[in-house]
Amino acid sequence: MTRGYDVSEVKLRLIKLLRDSETGISGVEISERLGINRVTMTKYLNVFSAEGVIAEKNVGNVNLWFVYEGIEQFQFPDDYFRVQEKYLDYIIKCSDFQVYNLIRSCINSDVNVTKLMTEAILPAIPQIQKYFDEGKIGKAEEQLMKSIISKSIQVVDLVRKNPKNEKNVIIISADSQSILQAEAASAAYHSNNWNTSFLGDMSSSIDILFDLELIKLLSKIWKSKQGLMIVVVFADTEEGLKFFSESFYSVKGKNDENLHLILSGKVGKKIKIKSDLQTEKLEDIIQWSETKFENV
């Protein structure tokens, strides 16, 4: 943003300053107490406000700044387990406000997004399913909890990034059961500066015409075939993985050496489905993609 300041350090100091104030603090006072000139501080305040960290409120003739309730600081990697416990607790309570603020707090604490997904967000999904199977929650509650998880992932995905033209990924969910895993992968790729095209649930496109749709899509978002293009498919069934694998390889040409396929879902030991990588672990997917990009 500006030279001479570390954005993360300014954010930490600002949150601490505002949290210690019950009445809010003006921009002028914030500038003086943090030792940052007013013009620069105003830019920081506007950015942090857009991120949902702080809020501005007019009190009389003065504009005061407040930190959002629930915003806190974490120390990673030590606090991943604490975040996991808080996240699941808020999800089960259907407390969406607390969930979103918890995610914002993680982002403000420079969390590794891939680890946030694998250590806190994704583990909540099977727990919700378990509660539903045991009759502890109903279908409506289950759907609400999954909706909150989806929106919490979107909070992560809204963080500004500068994607590289050479890093391209298309993410597909073959069914509605895999949509949250696909959304988590989209946020993880986005946080690593990938040009991410998230297609969502594509189960309605499982037909003989999908090959043509994929060709058209690739020609639109990977026109010059610059750098790397990876297609990642999440599926709850072997049939879904097999369909998209066959579609992919019917489209991939002999000269498309930088076009790759990753499949994520359970596949039986005796089942052979072609891909460049098959794994259910998000961290392995991201690591493989980054390594492949480095070797392009």
Side-chain angles (χ1 to χ4, degrees), residues 8-187:
S8 298
E9 182 183 349
V10 172
K11 188 182 295 184
L12 287 172
R13 293 173 61 200
L14 176 62
I15 290 173
K16 184 179 185 305
L17 177 65
L18 294 180
R19 187 183 290 118
D20 292 340
S21 171
E22 296 181 358
T23 59
I25 305 176
S26 70
V28 173
E29 186 178 352
I30 291 172
S31 173
E32 293 175 350
R33 294 177 66 172
L34 294 186
I36 300 174
N37 72 70
R38 292 173 60 181
V39 174
T40 300
M41 195 65 241
T42 298
K43 293 180 180 179
Y44 278 118
L45 291 172
N46 289 334
V47 169
F48 300 153
S49 175
E51 292 178 353
V53 179
I54 58 176
E56 186 178 20
K57 184 177 181 180
N58 183 269
V59 180
N61 296 323
V62 181
N63 291 328
L64 300 177
W65 290 93
F66 300 82
V67 66
Y68 276 110
E69 182 182 353
I71 294 294
E72 56 185 308
Q73 291 303 125
F74 293 106
Q75 296 294 323
F76 296 111
D78 295 344
D79 282 339
Y80 280 115
F81 183 71
R82 187 158 71 96
V83 170
Q84 181 189 66
E85 287 187 322
K86 283 176 172 284
Y87 185 81
L88 180 60
D89 179 53
Y90 295 156
I91 290 291
I92 297 303
K93 292 177 180 177
C94 295
S95 181
D96 55 349
F97 182 78
Q98 287 181 300
V99 169
Y100 306 148
N101 274 346
L102 176 64
I103 297 302
R104 292 189 184 100
S105 294
C106 291
I107 295 170
N108 297 333
S109 303
D110 292 328
V111 71
N112 178 297
V113 171
T114 301
K115 285 191 69 64
L116 175 63
M117 295 298 161
T118 58
E119 299 290 335
I121 294 180
L122 291 177
I125 300 172
Q127 284 295 326
I128 291 173
Q129 186 63 50
K130 180 181 178 182
Y131 286 138
F132 176 75
D133 293 340
E134 293 175 348
K136 294 179 179 179
I137 60 173
K139 192 62 181 179
E141 290 175 288
E142 180 196 23
Q143 288 300 108
L144 176 57
M145 291 176 190
K146 288 183 177 179
S147 175
I148 294 174
I149 290 176
S150 177
K151 290 178 181 178
S152 72
I153 294 173
Q154 293 172 30
V155 170
V156 178
D157 221 8
L158 289 173
V159 177
R160 297 176 183 177
K161 290 291 179 180
N162 296 311
K164 297 181 180 180
N165 293 331
E166 301 83 6
K167 303 172 74 174
N168 305 281
V169 61
I170 295 172
I171 299 176
I172 297 171
S173 175
D175 46 62
S176 60
Q177 292 84 356
S178 304
I179 191 71
L180 292 177
Q181 287 83 353
E183 288 181 350
S186 176

Side-chain angles (χ1 to χ4, degrees), residues 173-178 203 206 233-245 263-268 271 273 280:
S173 175
D175 46 62
S176 60
Q177 292 84 356
S178 304
S203 57
I206 297 181
V233 179
F234 290 83
D236 192 52
T237 64
E238 295 172 350
E239 290 78 10
L241 295 174
K242 184 178 180 182
F243 170 81
F244 285 103
S245 173
L263 300 179
S264 184
K266 292 182 179 179
V267 178
I271 303 296
I273 303 178
E280 294 183 77

